[in-house]
Amino acid sequence: MWRSPIKRLDMYMLRNFLGLFVLTLVICVFILLMQFVWLHVRDLVGKGVELSVLAEFFVYAVASVVPLALPLAVLLASLITFGNLGEQVELTAMKAAGISLFRIMRPLVVAILMICLGAFYFSNSILPVSQVKLWTLIFSLRQKSPELDIPEGEFYDGIVRHKDAKRAMLYDLMIYDYSKGFRDATVMVADSGKIVFTDDKKYLVLHLYSGESFENIDRKQQRATGTTKNIPYRRETYAEKKLLIDFDSDLNRMDESILADQHVSKNTRQLIHSIDSVHSLSVEKGAEQSRQMIDSRYLGRERHSVDDTEQILQSNERKRAEAESRGENWLARYNPDSLFASLTTSEKERVLKVAMERANSQKDQIDYNAIVLDDYQRYIRRHEVELHRKFTLAFACLIFFFIGAPLGAIIRKGGLGTPVIISVVMFIIYYIIDNTGYKMAREALWPCWAGMWLSSFVLLPIGIFLTYKAATDSALFNPEAWAKLLEPIKKKMHLQDS
């Protein structure tokens, strides 16, 4: 008779853990989502954005915070699961029945490995697409015209004394137009008015009723029109006046291709290809710069061909022989210091000026070459950081499970009290370490792999230690055990005092 390899214990552990995992994941995503929205609230408020656009923004934002919420959800769910088992004495009963902690954790380890694979797939395939769409939408929202909201009784390129929201009417208007400059300002007053959109939503039509307009006439305009009489302003009285104002209220989406070469839009294969390509370009560019410095101007000297070099050497050898035949010191005659000392004051100034110009020119060229190469290196570092991040976030889920599960078995406290506090503290530690490593890698202070895997290097030994202590039933957080351990030290201090 065929028997299922999944035991009742495995199903029981999976049912408890997966339910808590889904719940904690939703909570963590919601918290991180609120933080993300708060950072971009200025891009959303006051733009008159439609609900469909807001829904699209929240969907892409949720996708962007999922990789960070997964490790925290795994930590919190594993802590609560094993804390509940310890608090309800179920964990003790299982161990009394001869079931080891590793056997209890086995189905959850398989589940966590599946979650890690899912996290990597999400970061590699889904996240790049959602990041491109999210940031394209954010850039589009930033360029969108704000929603029209004219305040009442405040200066807003003019003054509106009263508003009637039901009739969409404005009363006692005073409008200032400085589009032609301050000296050619136009002031309009009206008894009432209203604003309507054109059918294509590209323009505003301002209807003014029973008003006057006053326009300054600049002296340049007077000379252009041939007017010699001093006319301070032009006055116009109207019963109705229409003004067309450019106002695009539509959301003009930017092309997603602007982020095609950014590291956030690429998967692992594309990142590796970009890193290799740009690294080859960087090496080629560096070699080209070296050849240019040597071939064109090296320390202010022209480089000669092989034939010219042989002729120069022969000429120098002939001059040396002639100098020695006359009993002169060849080195002293052609010593740079001696040659410089033999010049007049004006010649020295001219030589120093030329030397400084050549040195500054060479320095500027070297600085420019360094900037070009540094751009390549920054591009490579950003892509290497993103490449390692796709693996570190998935591996963090596994590490946090081996921290949360044994820690819950040791403290034996379930619910949302102690586990939440411990999870928040551990996640803050992880975030600080991970962010520090990220900045070190981004600024090229550390290698990219060292900076991005720093949090894993620190937390993995902690997870191994806690798992060992939980498997050996160590009273790691038992106050009585710590008091017993410190008792010899207290006795020794008491004897010294006496």
Side-chain angles (χ1 to χ4, degrees), residues 264-490:
V264 296
S265 65
K266 300 178 181 179
N267 54 29
T268 54
R269 181 180 59 82
Q270 294 170 337
L271 288 170
I272 294 174
H273 179 268
S274 299
I275 291 171
D276 293 339
S277 301
V278 177
H279 179 72
S280 300
L281 290 175
S282 176
V283 173
E284 183 180 350
K285 189 66 175 178
E288 180 183 353
Q289 292 176 356
S290 301
R291 288 194 301 268
Q292 289 177 353
M293 291 180 61
I294 295 175
D295 294 340
S296 62
R297 194 173 288 275
Y298 178 68
L299 294 179
R301 298 174 182 266
E302 298 291 343
R303 188 182 179 189
H304 303 279
S305 62
V306 177
D307 296 335
D308 293 338
T309 302
E310 292 179 355
Q311 293 178 3
I312 292 172
L313 292 176
Q314 293 175 2
S315 176
N316 291 339
E317 183 65 24
R318 185 172 59 254
K319 292 178 180 179
R320 186 185 65 80
E322 293 175 356
E324 289 180 354
S325 64
R326 294 192 299 268
E328 298 177 354
N329 188 345
W330 166 261
L331 295 177
R333 182 177 180 181
Y334 291 97
N335 187 279
D337 295 334
S338 301
L339 291 175
F340 183 77
S342 64
L343 300 176
T344 63
T345 303
S346 60
E347 291 175 338
K348 289 180 180 179
E349 292 178 354
R350 186 170 63 254
V351 168
L352 290 175
K353 182 179 180 180
V354 172
M356 288 295 297
E357 290 177 352
R358 290 184 176 181
N360 289 330
S361 176
Q362 194 70 11
K363 178 180 179 298
D364 294 339
Q365 183 64 34
I366 293 174
D367 292 339
Y368 172 76
N369 293 341
I371 292 173
V372 173
L373 293 179
D374 188 61
D375 290 338
Y376 285 118
Q377 294 303 319
R378 283 202 302 268
Y379 183 92
I380 293 174
R381 285 198 302 272
R382 287 196 298 266
H383 282 65
E384 287 183 345
V385 165
E386 187 66 23
L387 178 62
H388 286 286
R389 190 192 298 277
K390 295 184 183 299
F391 294 93
T392 56
L393 288 176
F395 190 66
C397 297
L398 184 63
I399 294 178
F400 274 131
F401 173 75
F402 281 101
I403 291 178
L407 199 57
I410 293 174
I411 63 175
R412 299 183 180 183
K413 294 290 185 180
L416 293 175
T418 305
V420 170
I421 297 175
I422 297 177
S423 298
V424 170
V425 172
M426 291 299 301
F427 189 78
I428 290 175
I429 295 174
Y430 161 77
Y431 183 80
I432 293 174
I433 297 174
D434 185 71
N435 199 39
T436 301
Y438 164 72
K439 291 182 178 180
M440 292 293 184
R442 183 188 62 186
E443 302 299 330
L445 299 176
W446 290 355
C448 289
W449 64 267
M452 296 307 297
W453 289 90
L454 176 64
S455 58
S456 299
F457 294 153
V458 174
L459 296 181
L460 182 59
I462 297 177
I464 295 174
F465 173 76
L466 292 175
T467 304
Y468 169 76
K469 288 296 184 180
T472 56
D473 294 328
S474 174
L476 187 62
F477 294 98
N478 190 352
E480 297 180 357
W482 284 101
K484 186 176 181 180
L485 180 65
L486 297 175
E487 186 175 352
I489 300 177
K490 292 181 179 180

Side-chain angles (χ1 to χ4, degrees), residues 89-193:
V89 202
E90 292 179 283
L91 191 61
T92 303
M94 293 178 187
K95 291 183 178 181
I99 304 175
S100 64
L101 180 64
F102 293 107
R103 176 61 186 84
I104 299 172
M105 295 171 58
R106 186 175 68 180
L108 301 186
V109 172
V110 176
I112 292 299
L113 290 176
M114 298 299 294
I115 292 174
C116 292
L117 293 176
F120 175 75
Y121 174 79
F122 185 90
S123 298
N124 188 49
S125 301
I126 300 176
L127 188 61
V129 178
S130 65
Q131 286 288 87
V132 171
K133 294 184 177 297
L134 173 64
W135 286 105
T136 303
L137 181 59
I138 290 176
F139 294 151
S140 302
L141 289 172
R142 288 176 180 176
Q143 295 184 356
K144 185 182 182 301
S145 299
E147 186 181 18
L148 184 64
D149 184 18
I150 299 178
E152 182 177 355
E154 297 180 11
F155 187 84
Y156 182 82
D157 292 339
I159 297 176
V160 177
R161 300 297 183 186
H162 306 287
K163 292 195 302 183
D164 188 346
K166 294 182 180 180
R167 299 175 57 189
M169 292 294 293
L170 307 173
Y171 297 99
D172 295 338
L173 287 81
M174 182 177 291
I175 303 172
Y176 300 88
D177 182 8
Y178 295 105
S179 60
K180 298 180 181 179
F182 183 78
R183 299 186 66 180
D184 294 329
T186 301
V187 180
M188 289 175 283
V189 294
D191 178 69
S192 60

Side-chain angles (χ1 to χ4, degrees), residues 44-57:
L44 301 174
V45 176
K47 297 296 183 69
V49 181
E50 298 179 357
L51 292 178
S52 59
V53 177
L54 285 176
E56 184 180 358
F57 173 83

